[in-house]
Amino acid sequence: MNKKKGFVYRLPAVLTSMKTAVILLSIMIILSIAGSLIPQGKELSFYAMKYGDFWGGFIIAAHLNNFFRSWLFLSFSALFFINLASCSILRLFRRLKRRDPLRPGPDIIHLSLLLIIILGVFVLFTRQETTVMLAPGESFTLPDNAVIRLASFEIEYYEDGRPKDWISRLELTAGDISTESLVEVNKPLKYGAYRVFQNFYDLRPHAAVRSSSGEYELEGQDGLATDAGAVYLMDIREIDDESVGIFFFTEDAEDAESSDYDELHLKTGDEFRGLTITDLYVSEFSGLLVVYQPGAKLIIAVLLLFCAGLALTFYQKLGDGLV
Amino acid sequence: MIMTSAALMLQFLSAAVQVVFIFKSSRKDLFSHFLLLASGLLLLANLIIRSIQINFVAVTNTFESLVFFSAAIMFVLFFMRLRLKDKVYQLLIFGVTVISIALLAIASSPIAPKEVLEPIPALQSNWLVLHVTFAFIGESFFAVSFVAAIMTLRAKDDERKKLSDKITYTSIAIGYPIFSAGALVFGAIWAYYAWGRFWGWDPKETWALITWLTYSVYLHLRFIKKMRGAVVSWAAIIGFLFTLFTFFGVNFLLSGLHSY
């Protein structure tokens, strides 16, 4: 009975002790290392293939595939939060009681860390995201019925052919108000708690072909069965300022996958095995990441507050002559 | 590449001069740190030239970041040498110079492509520049703390032990806020603008956090009287090993969004 009472009395001291802080930090290090070694968020079959049935099953059962959201990691994070909060509050009260000189640096650091953890949990429950791929002229509707239309999309390249920038001109219509903005990588569109990020792009080759039986449109790796075999459009490249379609042609129309194939490079007007190429073009798609994240500005403000706390602590230590 | 090789040569030369003076205890080395400064300036000039060529701050690939890391170490060592006159620091400066030589040797090796390439869209951000430069400046102080911690463990007399321990603490006290701001805060803000989220538990992010937690342990261990001494020094050593793993190990052993 005395032991129990003793523990209850000791609990606040344990929770607010520096030793507990160090132990919890060390546990967080070990858990983070473990989490970084197991690939996160993969398909369930991935783990069985990589680690075998037993260990793959164990990883799934223990939620190690989503380690940083697992009860193990979250419960130690919660303990760390309690320790940090109680340490910070106790220290502040003690200093106020003793009327110590003002040294807000470490307090700001600890307070901002607490806020970061709280905001992290808030993000966990509120953040929603989706990716949309739009061709110019296409649009999508946000849950609040605002409409975002891709007016134009441009890919800029460096001289060596690597992408330099992807720029979407977006028209946002919310109620009666319509605005236009340019969205680039690192420059998202802001609308309330929504952000639209330029995330990726896609190039899709298109070919129009004509045969005796009619006209067909092939789009990015589409296949077309002909009497002489199957035709697949693989890519379109600019060669000598002219669009050249890269087609795969198999000998066996019935069983294309097991058949050998010939690679054909064809321009508009070329004929092959009963088909005539009537048009070749590449369409560009803008890949947008739409994120609903309330409090994004607050998160940035808290991160900067953390920096301010670090700078202030450093300044105080300079004054102490410790640095 | 010529400038990097010349800078590497200067570091080798400086290390050789340092070795001579480490064993010649009667004379004072008044020369080697100027070689380090010259090396740092050459590396910086190399980065400025590359920056002009790519029209962006040249810290966007492994080679450039290693060159920046080495340059930062050179400047830290030079100013440390100016401030600290005690003979005991010579061994410390030699140890950190060796680390810098190793970094430049890796930069010169085939694992760090040296082509001057303009950055991909995601890297074209001022937040990225702050993220990379602050992180490496912080890590250059961690390199000093690493060698100082080893010296603390190996020191035979109390005075040397205290001195090395003070350098370990001072280096971490300077490096920790700079690293925290660069690796975590500016990194998170850049990630938000580039990828739409502040934190994604990418292996590089996780290991930066692990490194930060380790140095946090170091700073808190110093408040626990019983834990002072070897345990604290080991925390500083492990911290820098984690720093290196975050930079090299994650790139080669774990896959993620970070290209370097």
Side-chain angles (χ1 to χ4, degrees):
Chain A
M1 195 67 191
N2 282 341
K3 258 190 180 177
K4 272 188 182 173
K5 194 178 172 187
F7 176 75
V8 172
Y9 276 114
R10 277 207 320 272
L11 189 62
V14 171
L15 277 178
T16 54
S17 87
M18 193 68 80
K19 268 186 196 166
T20 309
V22 168
I23 290 167
L24 286 170
L25 283 169
S26 305
I27 291 170
M28 298 291 282
I29 291 169
I30 293 163
L31 291 177
S32 300
I33 291 173
S36 77
L37 299 178
I38 300 164
Q40 297 292 299
K42 302 278 182 195
E43 297 285 323
L44 302 187
S45 56
F46 169 86
Y47 299 97
M49 274 175 65
K50 191 172 170 73
Y51 301 103
D53 285 341
F54 177 77
W55 288 110
F58 174 77
I59 286 169
I60 302 298
H63 300 290
L64 302 181
N65 60 325
N66 213 346
F67 187 75
F68 298 103
R69 287 185 178 199
S70 68
W71 63 267
L72 182 67
F73 188 78
L74 291 179
S75 47
F76 277 105
S77 303
L79 276 176
F80 175 67
F81 178 84
I82 293 165
N83 172 257
L84 184 62
S86 46
C87 273
S88 308
I89 293 165
L90 191 78
R91 209 175 64 150
L92 194 65
F93 273 111
R94 274 185 194 155
R95 282 225 317 276
L96 286 174
K97 205 174 165 186
R98 288 202 301 254
R99 296 188 181 180
D100 285 350
L102 193 66
R103 293 176 67 88
D107 295 323
I108 293 174
I109 292 176
H110 290 146
L111 171 73
S112 51
L113 280 174
L114 289 169
L115 289 173
I116 287 168
I117 296 171
I118 292 168
L119 288 169
V121 176
F122 177 69
V123 168
L124 200 66
F125 289 106
T126 56
R127 187 178 191 279
Q128 291 172 44
E129 69 166 52
T130 185
T131 51
V132 286
M133 202 158 72
L134 300 177
E138 290 181 345
S139 60
F140 69 96
T141 308
L142 293 172
D144 70 349
N145 291 325
V147 176
I148 292 177
R149 179 178 167 273
L150 179 67
S152 65
F153 179 56
E154 193 187 338
I155 307 172
E156 292 179 354
Y157 294 95
Y158 291 119
E159 280 177 9
D160 61 4
R162 291 177 315 116
K164 182 182 179 183
D165 203 1
W166 320 318
I167 307 163
S168 295
R169 185 180 293 277
L170 297 180
E171 285 171 9
L172 170 75
T173 309
D176 298 334
I177 301 163
S178 192
T179 51
E180 198 176 87
S181 13
L182 286 180
V183 173
E184 296 173 57
V185 180
N186 287 312
K187 290 173 192 165
L189 163 73
K190 295 169 188 169
Y191 166 63
Y194 290 97
R195 298 289 183 273
V196 181
F197 296 88
Q198 185 66 64
N199 202 232
F200 63 100
Y201 70 94
D202 194 20
L203 299 174
R204 278 195 209 158
H206 291 260
V209 293
R210 190 175 59 228
S211 73
S212 53
S213 57
E215 295 198 349
Y216 302 95
E217 278 277 341
L218 298 179
E219 185 188 294
Q221 303 186 5
D222 274 354
L224 176 68
T226 71
D227 294 341
V231 177
Y232 294 89
L233 170 64
M234 300 311 289
D235 197 5
I236 292 175
R237 290 179 205 151
E238 285 288 319
I239 299 172
D240 298 332
D241 288 338
E242 201 160 14
S243 293
V244 174
I246 316 293
F247 294 87
F248 283 177
F249 191 89
T250 69
E251 295 297 333
D252 187 349
E254 298 291 315
D255 189 8
E257 281 188 10
S258 63
S259 172
D260 286 338
Y261 61 81
D262 292 324
E263 189 174 316
L264 303 167
H265 292 200
L266 303 164
K267 300 190 286 284
T268 307
D270 284 354
E271 287 186 24
F272 71 108
R273 308 208 184 180
L275 294 175
T276 306
I277 310 290
T278 56
D279 198 8
L280 287 171
Y281 64 96
V282 177
S283 56
E284 295 173 341
F285 286 82
S286 172
L288 301 169
L289 176 72
V290 185
V291 176
Y292 174 76
Q293 177 57 77
K297 279 182 190 166
L298 182 64
I299 295 170
I300 293 176
V302 171
L303 288 171
L304 295 177
L305 179 71
F306 175 64
C307 279
L310 290 166
L312 204 55
T313 308
F314 182 71
Y315 180 73
Q316 286 163 4
K317 283 186 178 166
L318 268 181
D320 295 342
L322 288 173
V323 174
Chain B
M1 191 57 205
I2 296 166
M3 289 172 108
T4 317
S5 303
L8 182 59
M9 286 302 123
L10 284 173
Q11 291 186 21
F12 267 121
L13 191 60
S14 175
V17 173
Q18 289 168 35
V19 168
V20 171
F21 281 95
I22 286 167
F23 288 106
K24 252 187 173 177
S25 55
S26 56
R27 292 250 182 115
K28 205 166 184 188
D29 173 13
L30 298 169
F31 176 59
S32 69
H33 56 295
F34 286 105
L35 291 172
L36 297 180
L37 176 68
S39 173
L41 289 172
L42 262 180
L43 294 172
L44 196 63
N46 186 12
L47 288 178
I48 291 169
I49 291 168
R50 285 179 82 102
S51 301
I52 293 165
Q53 285 171 329
I54 65 170
N55 205 18
F56 193 75
V57 182
V59 284
T60 58
N61 61 35
T62 308
F63 173 76
E64 289 162 357
S65 54
L66 280 166
V67 168
F68 183 84
F69 194 0
S70 180
I73 291 176
M74 290 300 99
F75 294 124
V76 167
L77 285 186
F78 178 72
F79 288 109
M80 227 176 85
R81 176 65 181 75
L82 286 186
R83 281 200 62 167
L84 310 170
K85 307 289 182 195
D86 198 292
K87 190 90 179 156
V88 73
Y89 298 121
Q90 226 150 31
L91 195 60
L92 171 80
I93 290 172
F94 174 73
V96 186
T97 306
V98 169
I99 291 174
S100 177
I101 287 171
L103 292 172
L104 272 194
I106 296 167
S108 308
S109 75
I111 62 166
K114 284 140 207 82
E115 293 102 325
V116 182
L117 291 175
E118 294 96 340
I120 58 165
L123 301 180
Q124 297 165 24
S125 162
N126 293 333
W127 288 112
L128 169 98
V129 176
L130 288 173
H131 165 50
V132 175
T133 52
F134 272 64
F136 281 119
I137 292 169
E139 288 174 7
S140 61
F141 284 98
F142 292 163
V144 176
S145 75
F146 171 71
V147 179
I150 293 172
M151 286 173 65
T152 310
L153 290 176
R154 292 189 60 84
K156 298 248 168 19
D157 61 276
D158 272 358
E159 197 185 337
R160 282 203 160 195
K161 207 180 261 286
K162 267 188 187 168
L163 211 57
S164 305
D165 183 55
K166 189 172 188 299
I167 302 168
T168 310
Y169 172 65
T170 306
S171 312
I172 292 174
I174 299 172
Y176 181 80
I178 301 171
F179 176 81
S180 307
L184 301 181
V185 175
F186 300 146
I189 297 174
W190 168 58
Y192 175 66
Y193 285 112
W195 300 318
R197 44 113 191 115
F198 290 97
W199 192 264
W201 295 108
D202 175 79
K204 189 73 108 180
E205 293 169 359
T206 309
W207 275 91
L209 178 69
I210 290 165
T211 304
W212 181 79
L213 287 170
T214 308
Y215 283 108
S216 302
V217 166
Y218 170 88
L219 292 171
H220 287 84
L221 273 174
R222 294 188 70 90
F223 288 106
I224 305 168
K225 273 185 187 166
K226 281 180 193 169
M227 290 290 184
R228 282 182 199 164
V231 178
V232 180
S233 299
W234 274 110
I237 291 168
I238 293 167
F240 189 65
L241 294 178
F242 283 170
T243 304
L244 293 180
F245 187 83
T246 305
F247 189 39
F248 298 109
V250 173
N251 288 8
F252 298 116
L253 300 173
L254 308 167
S255 61
L257 279 169
H258 286 71
S259 55
Y260 67 100

